[in-house]
Amino acid sequence: MPDATLAIDREGKVVAWNRSMERMSKVSKADMIGRKNYEYALPFYGERRPILIDLAILPDNVFEYSHYENVYRQGDTLFAEAYVPQAYGGKGAFMWGTASRLRDASGNIIGAIESFRDITNHRRMEEKIRESEEKYRTFFKTSRDCVFITSSDGRWVDMNDAAIELFGYSSRDELMQVKIPDLYVKAEERTKLVNTIMDGGFVRDYPIDMRRKNGEIINTFLTSTVRYDAAGNATGLMGTIKDMTDRKRVEESLKKSEAKYRNIFENAMEGIYQTTREGRFITANTAFAHMAGYNSSEELIESVKNIATQLYVHPEDRQRVLEIGAKKGFAKSVEVEFYKKNGSIFWVEINARIVRNEQGDILYIEGFIQDITIRKQVQEILSKSERKFASLFKLNPDSMTISEIATGKYIDVNEAFTNWTGYSREEVIGVSDKNLRLWVNSGDRKKIIGTLSTVAEEVNGIEVLMRHKNGHIRNVLYLLMSGHDITDRKRIEEKLRKSELTFRSLFEASPIGIFTVIDRIFTQVNPAMCKATGYSLEDLIGHSVRI
C-alpha cells in the first residue's frame, strides 16, 4: 500500500501501521501497535488530539472545520486536507487524508482506517499558480499598455482598460465588437505578424501602425505569443501593445535637431570639439581639422593621441586651460600656440567649459577655438610701429605734443616740449593749453585745427607766438600737427594705419637726418639725411653704411 496507513479499533487502539507510515512518522510499527489514547497523533501534531480517523467514528463538525480544509463526507468516508507540522521528523507537510469506518458482518462499527498522502508539492504548485494568476491579473488591470487576448479568427477574448483608451473607444463592449484586423492600417500586416508569431512562437517590440476609432494612426510596438489549449492546440494570441506615437515624434524631432546641429557643427567657421580629460579627442569638426592642417576630422581624431604634446606648443598651456575651467567652470579667451600637422605654429583663442556628472567628476571638455594668427601678427606689427613712433616721439629734438582737438587737453608731450616751455610733464598732461596760456593768440590754434579739418591731416610752415612758463614770448614755426580720434585707435587696423602715417610724416618732415639700418644696410632715409650727406635717396637705400 503506497499511502501511509493506520487502523484503530473501537477503543482507539492502533491495530495497523504500515511502512509508509513508519517513514512519515519516524515511529516503527513495533513501537506503535497496541498504543491508544491518541498516541498516533503525537508524531504528526506533537500533541494527543483527535485526527481524521477519530472523526470518522465520532463526527465533530466544529473540530473538523476548525482544524481541516476541504472537508466533506461520502457515506462512512471522511475526506480532508491539513498541514501536519511534525511529519517527517518535524519538517512538516501538507497532507490529503481519507478516513473510513470499519464495520463487522452485522454492520456494527468496529474501528476505522485512515490513509495519508503527501500533497506538499501539489499545494506549493497551486500557490505559485495562484500567485502567478494574481500577478497577471494585477498586471492586466493596472498596465498602462494595452494587454490583450485574441482568438485565432481575429476576435477579442479579453482586454484591459488601457486597450479601450489606446484605440479611443468609449467602452469595453464597443471595442469587443471590433474585429482585430480592422484595427490595422494595413490588414496584410496582421497576416504577416500572425505568421511570424506562429513560426517563431513569439515576437518582441514588433513595430506596427494601427488605427484608432477616429481614424488617427498610432505607431505601436507589439509583443505577443501563441495561446494553447490543454491539448496543445493553438487557440489565438496574447500579449501587449505599447503606444510609441509620442516617442516616435520625439525621435523624429530629435533627428531633425541633431541634423540641424550636425550641420552647424560641420559647417562652422570656428573649431568645435570635445575631448577627454586625459587629452584624447571625442569629437572635432572639419574647421578644427583644417585649422590644424588635417584633411578631415577623422584624421585629426585618429592621429592626435595626446593633445597636450601634439597640439600645444607649450604642454603646460593645456593644464592652465583645465585649471581655469575647473575653478570657474569655463575658460574664456585663452590665447595659446598650436602645432599644425606639418609642424608649423599658429595662434588660437580657446573658449572651453568643463562638463561634469552628478557626482562632480569631469566627463569631458568641450569648446571652441579660433585661429587668431593674423590678429597676433597685426598686433606685433602695431606694437613694433608704436615702439618705433614712441622712440622717435621721445628723442626728437623738436617740441612734440599729442592733444585732444575739442578740449586742447594734452595727452602726451616729449622732453623737448618740457625743456622749451618750462613745464614738467606732470604739469601738462591732462591740462588744456588754454589753462596753461601757451598760445599768445588763442585764434592761432583754431586756425591750425580748421586747416587740419578742411585741408589735410598735417600743417607745415605756420608761424605762431607761444608763451614760456616764465612769460617770455617766442616765435614758433609749426611744421606738423596731426589730429587723431583716439576712439578709433582701439580698432587694430585703423590704429596701425594712423600710427604708420604719423611716423612717416614725422620721419619725412624732421629737420634732422633720420635713418634705419638692418645688417649694416640702409633701409630707410629721410630728406634731411640726404641733405646732410649730399647723397640722393637712391644712393643710400639698399647700400652699405660705408658708402
Side-chain angles (χ1 to χ4, degrees), residues 334-368:
V334 181
E335 297 181 358
V336 300
E337 290 180 292
F338 268 17
Y339 284 120
K340 287 183 179 286
K341 179 183 177 182
N342 61 10
S344 62
I345 295 174
F346 68 108
W347 280 90
V348 298
E349 180 182 273
I350 297 175
N351 288 281
R353 76 181 187 100
I354 307 294
V355 180
R356 301 177 183 272
N357 61 17
E358 293 180 355
Q359 289 72 42
D361 303 318
I362 294 177
L363 294 176
Y364 55 87
I365 298 95
E366 65 180 11
F368 303 85

Side-chain angles (χ1 to χ4, degrees), residues 63-231:
F63 190 90
E64 291 171 11
Y65 286 99
S66 63
H67 289 78
Y68 293 92
E69 301 175 18
N70 302 323
V71 181
Y72 68 96
R73 290 179 180 274
Q74 287 184 352
D76 283 346
T77 303
L78 178 63
F79 301 87
E81 295 178 11
Y83 179 71
V84 181
Q86 297 300 317
Y88 301 110
K91 291 182 179 180
F94 284 98
M95 300 289 184
W96 176 77
T98 63
S100 299
R101 294 170 176 172
L102 296 175
R103 296 177 183 272
D104 60 16
S106 301
N108 299 312
I109 298 174
I110 59 172
I113 185 171
E114 180 178 354
S115 294
F116 292 81
R117 181 173 296 175
D118 188 343
I119 60 169
T120 302
N121 291 336
H122 177 73
R123 287 290 294 268
R124 287 175 179 170
M125 187 174 295
E126 283 183 338
E127 185 62 28
K128 288 181 179 179
I129 292 172
R130 192 159 44 247
E131 289 176 358
S132 177
E133 287 178 345
E134 182 61 30
K135 289 179 181 178
Y136 170 75
R137 181 52 55 185
T138 300
F139 166 74
F140 190 88
K141 289 182 177 180
T142 62
S143 175
R144 298 179 65 180
D145 295 332
C146 162
V147 183
F148 67 87
I149 301 174
T150 61
S151 63
S152 298
D153 60 353
R155 293 190 175 276
W156 292 101
V157 174
D158 201 359
M159 90 278 285
N160 65 350
D161 291 341
I164 301 168
E165 181 180 352
L166 175 65
F167 292 108
Y169 287 84
S170 58
S171 68
R172 174 187 176 86
D173 292 338
E174 184 183 15
L175 182 55
M176 287 291 286
Q177 301 304 313
V178 179
K179 293 182 178 180
I180 305 300
D182 293 341
L183 296 172
Y184 286 72
V185 173
K186 297 178 181 178
E188 62 271 20
E189 285 292 332
R190 182 177 188 273
T191 303
K192 179 181 176 182
L193 171 64
V194 171
N195 291 337
T196 302
I197 297 172
M198 290 299 180
D199 291 343
F202 72 97
V203 294
R204 185 187 302 276
D205 292 339
Y206 189 96
I208 199 82
D209 290 338
M210 307 190 84
R211 196 185 306 277
R212 302 188 61 170
K213 178 183 177 180
N214 62 6
E216 177 188 353
I217 294 175
I218 51 177
N219 312 117
T220 70
F221 275 176
L222 189 146
T223 297
S224 182
T225 188
V226 182
R227 289 178 64 232
Y228 297 95
D229 60 18

Side-chain angles (χ1 to χ4, degrees), residues 233-403:
N233 301 311
T235 60
L237 304 175
M238 61 182 180
T240 62
I241 302 174
K242 182 185 291 290
D243 186 355
M244 303 299 293
T245 307
D246 290 340
R247 176 176 166 181
K248 191 168 184 180
R249 286 172 185 163
V250 171
E251 288 176 346
E252 287 298 323
S253 297
L254 184 59
K255 285 180 182 178
K256 290 179 181 179
S257 177
E258 287 177 343
K260 174 184 176 182
Y261 287 104
R262 172 57 58 181
N263 185 56
I264 293 173
F265 180 82
E266 291 298 339
N267 296 298
M269 299 298 291
E270 293 181 321
I272 307 174
Y273 67 90
Q274 287 181 332
T275 68
T276 66
R277 182 178 186 176
E278 294 71 28
R280 289 292 300 267
F281 278 107
I282 300 171
T283 60
N285 68 346
T286 303
F288 196 135
H290 290 173
M291 201 180 294
Y294 292 86
N295 294 323
S296 65
S297 56
E298 291 78 14
E299 183 188 9
L300 172 67
I301 294 170
E302 181 62 30
S303 301
V304 178
K305 308 295 185 183
N306 188 323
I307 292 172
T309 58
Q310 289 181 259
L311 279 185
Y312 282 79
V313 174
H314 306 290
E316 62 271 18
D317 282 343
R318 183 171 191 269
Q319 185 60 34
R320 179 163 60 93
V321 171
L322 293 179
E323 289 174 355
I324 295 172
K327 184 177 180 180
K328 297 183 177 181
F330 63 90
K332 184 178 180 181
S333 301
V334 181
E335 297 181 358
V336 300
E337 290 180 292
F338 268 17
Y339 284 120
K340 287 183 179 286
K341 179 183 177 182
N342 61 10
S344 62
I345 295 174
F346 68 108
W347 280 90
V348 298
E349 180 182 273
I350 297 175
N351 288 281
R353 76 181 187 100
I354 307 294
V355 180
R356 301 177 183 272
N357 61 17
E358 293 180 355
Q359 289 72 42
D361 303 318
I362 294 177
L363 294 176
Y364 55 87
I365 298 95
E366 65 180 11
F368 303 85
I369 70 162
Q370 182 178 0
D371 188 338
I372 60 168
T373 304
I374 294 176
R375 186 173 85 191
K376 296 292 285 188
Q377 290 173 344
V378 169
Q379 288 175 344
E380 181 60 26
I381 293 171
L382 179 59
S383 178
K384 289 180 180 179
S385 175
E386 287 181 339
R387 289 196 298 270
K388 185 164 57 176
F389 168 75
S391 177
L392 181 60
F393 181 85
K394 290 179 180 179
L395 299 177
N396 200 305
D398 288 333
S399 171
M400 299 186 69
T401 67
I402 300 174
S403 64

